[in-house]
Amino acid sequence: RVVREAYRVLKPGGRFMCLEFSRVSNPVLASLYDMHSFYVIPKLGELIANDRQSYEYLVESIRKFPAQNEFAQIIRDEGFTTIGKGYENLTFGTVAIHTGYKF
């Protein structure tokens, strides 16, 4: 719904951009990223904010978000035009910037 609403409110020539935590495709890096996500981040949340549960939820919600290719397709399905694959992976794919244009 958010992507659809973004398309509705953008003027022609507008650009939708979304920065999201993503999925790492390299199996070695993916296992390190998972260990960091499921153990380090909640522990830091517990130590710094006294709130482990919120940081566990954060990690789980990141995992439920569509993979890069899936989200790029959602953007196209809502009417946006993408260039190339529609996203750019950063930091080995832990983060991606998705871009869609309304023409």
Side-chain angles (χ1 to χ4, degrees):
R1 293 187 327 213
V2 171
V3 178
R4 180 177 299 139
E5 185 65 7
Y7 188 84
R8 185 185 73 77
V9 299
L10 277 173
K11 295 179 182 178
R15 178 172 39 179
F16 169 78
M17 296 185 80
C18 179
L19 174 69
E20 286 292 339
F21 286 102
S22 298
R23 303 226 171 95
V24 178
S25 59
N26 180 301
V28 174
L29 290 176
S31 65
L32 291 172
Y33 181 57
D34 283 346
M35 185 172 57
H36 173 76
S37 296
F38 287 104
Y39 299 105
V40 176
I41 292 174
K43 187 63 176 173
L44 286 174
E46 180 180 11
L47 293 172
I48 295 170
N50 197 29
D51 188 4
R52 181 182 184 93
Q53 195 170 23
S54 292
Y55 289 85
E56 287 174 343
Y57 172 78
L58 172 66
V59 172
E60 292 167 6
S61 68
I62 291 168
R63 291 302 188 272
K64 291 180 182 178
F65 195 81
Q68 292 95 311
N69 287 332
E70 294 173 49
F71 191 57
Q73 188 59 51
I74 290 169
I75 292 169
R76 286 188 289 273
D77 289 347
E78 293 302 331
F80 286 101
T81 299
T82 59
I83 297 173
K85 53 190 176 178
Y87 62 91
E88 178 183 354
N89 282 327
L90 305 172
T91 319
F92 307 106
T94 58
V95 177
I97 298 175
H98 294 265
T99 307
Y101 300 89
K102 180 176 180 178
F103 294 115

